[in-house]
Amino acid sequence: QVQLVESGGGLVQAGGSLRLSCAASGLTFSMYGMGWFRQAPGKEREFVSAISWSGRNTAYADSVKGRFTISRDNAQNTVYLQMNSLNSEDTAVYYCAAGPTITPGRAVRAYDYWGQGTQVTVSS
């Protein structure tokens, strides 16, 4: 059974950093594009970042470009999201997702598998 497990969330002060991890099992990780999405209370799930199966192509939402960096380690079946210069607008539950695409998709429908989410809270 496919499982995606996020970790690394928590409480951080504005201007600080966090590194999220997503460990995958039950699938051939290197053949899947991976994405990060987030959802705040009362809002729809929104795209944050994505990376192709090879790691050669990445995509970022405008709101996080220049602050967040996505990467993957196929040998460890893990995708990461390094988040710097965090602000209150980044407060949300962050989800990782896997999809059978060679491009870093930005839409929820591009992904077949989802993790349970990890809470990120940025205090002022």
Side-chain angles (χ1 to χ4, degrees), residues 15 27 34 73 75 91 116:
L27 78 169
M34 300 294 297
D73 185 343
T91 295
Q116 84 291 343

Side-chain angles (χ1 to χ4, degrees):
Q1 186 175 16
V2 174
Q3 286 190 317
L4 304 176
V5 181
E6 302 96 335
S7 62
L11 176 65
V12 64
Q13 292 182 329
S17 298
L18 284 174
R19 189 191 194 199
L20 305 183
S21 299
C22 175
S25 61
L27 78 169
T28 305
F29 182 77
S30 62
M31 297 182 67
Y32 283 80
M34 300 294 297
W36 286 98
F37 292 75
R38 66 188 183 187
Q39 187 166 23
K43 299 179 66 177
E44 294 184 353
R45 190 166 299 186
E46 66 174 354
F47 170 78
V48 176
S49 185
I51 188 167
S52 64
W53 66 269
S54 67
R56 289 192 288 269
N57 296 295
T58 59
Y60 297 92
D62 289 342
S63 59
V64 307
K65 191 173 184 179
R67 299 188 296 120
F68 292 9
T69 302
I70 190 170
S71 61
R72 67 189 296 164
D73 185 343
N74 288 349
Q76 297 292 324
N77 289 355
T78 303
V79 63
Y80 304 95
L81 186 68
Q82 178 67 47
M83 306 186 295
N84 299 327
S85 301
L86 288 163
N87 58 62
S88 60
E89 298 297 319
D90 298 315
T91 295
V93 176
Y94 283 71
Y95 300 88
C96 69
T101 177
I102 62 171
T103 58
R106 306 173 76 98
V108 169
R109 61 181 175 84
Y111 299 90
D112 297 326
Y113 306 106
W114 295 82
Q116 84 291 343
T118 184
Q119 177 71 49
V120 172
T121 302
V122 184
S123 62
S124 301

